[in-house]
């Protein structure tokens, strides 16, 4: 089951790389944080690609999504689209 999950996630990452050419891809998942071999498996499955950006785990999988949503809300409500916000918790 994990192998199939890794395969499908590698397909998604492959599509992201092809469409957006990112410099880095962050994962923010408690499942992948708990099972770091998943990230290694995805990297191996992408080995056929010549240029794969680094795949890294978010430093704080617990609050990253919440803080990102809060940042988006603050930017929109206060019309601060060009301002960088840094949250400390």
């Amino acid at each position: 089951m994990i192998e199939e999950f890794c395969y499908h996630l590698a397909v998604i990452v492959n599509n992201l790389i092809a469409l957006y050419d990112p410099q880095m891809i962050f994962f923010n998942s408690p499942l992948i944080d708990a099972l770091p071999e998943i990230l290694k498996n995805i990297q191996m499955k992408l080995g056929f690609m010549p240029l794969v950006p680094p795949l890294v785990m978010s430093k704080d999988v617990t609050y990253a999504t919440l803080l990102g949503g809060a940042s988006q809300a603050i930017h929109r409500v206060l019309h601060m689209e060009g301002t960088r916000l840094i949250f400390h918790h």
Side-chain angles (χ1 to χ4, degrees):
M1 185 180 228
I2 290 177
E3 186 65 29
E4 186 175 343
F5 173 73
C6 291
Y7 169 78
H8 290 289
L9 201 50
V11 169
I12 292 168
V13 170
N14 177 42
N15 291 339
L16 287 172
I17 293 169
L19 288 171
Y20 298 107
D21 190 27
Q23 293 180 3
M24 189 175 291
I25 297 177
F26 285 91
F27 287 85
N28 181 37
S29 165
L31 175 63
I32 297 174
D33 190 45
L35 301 169
E37 63 269 10
I38 291 175
L39 195 57
K40 292 176 187 171
N41 191 318
I42 294 167
Q43 288 174 325
M44 286 183 1
K45 289 184 181 343
L46 295 171
F48 70 92
M49 295 183 72
L51 297 172
V52 176
L55 307 178
V56 295
M57 279 301 301
S58 173
K59 290 182 181 178
D60 188 357
V61 297
T62 306
Y63 294 108
T65 304
L66 175 65
L67 294 175
S71 173
Q72 185 71 16
I74 290 168
H75 278 96
R76 286 201 179 170
V77 170
L78 299 178
H79 305 288
M80 299 174 62
E81 283 77 15
T83 305
R84 182 173 180 211
L85 298 176
I86 298 173
F87 292 100
H88 300 280
H89 59 85

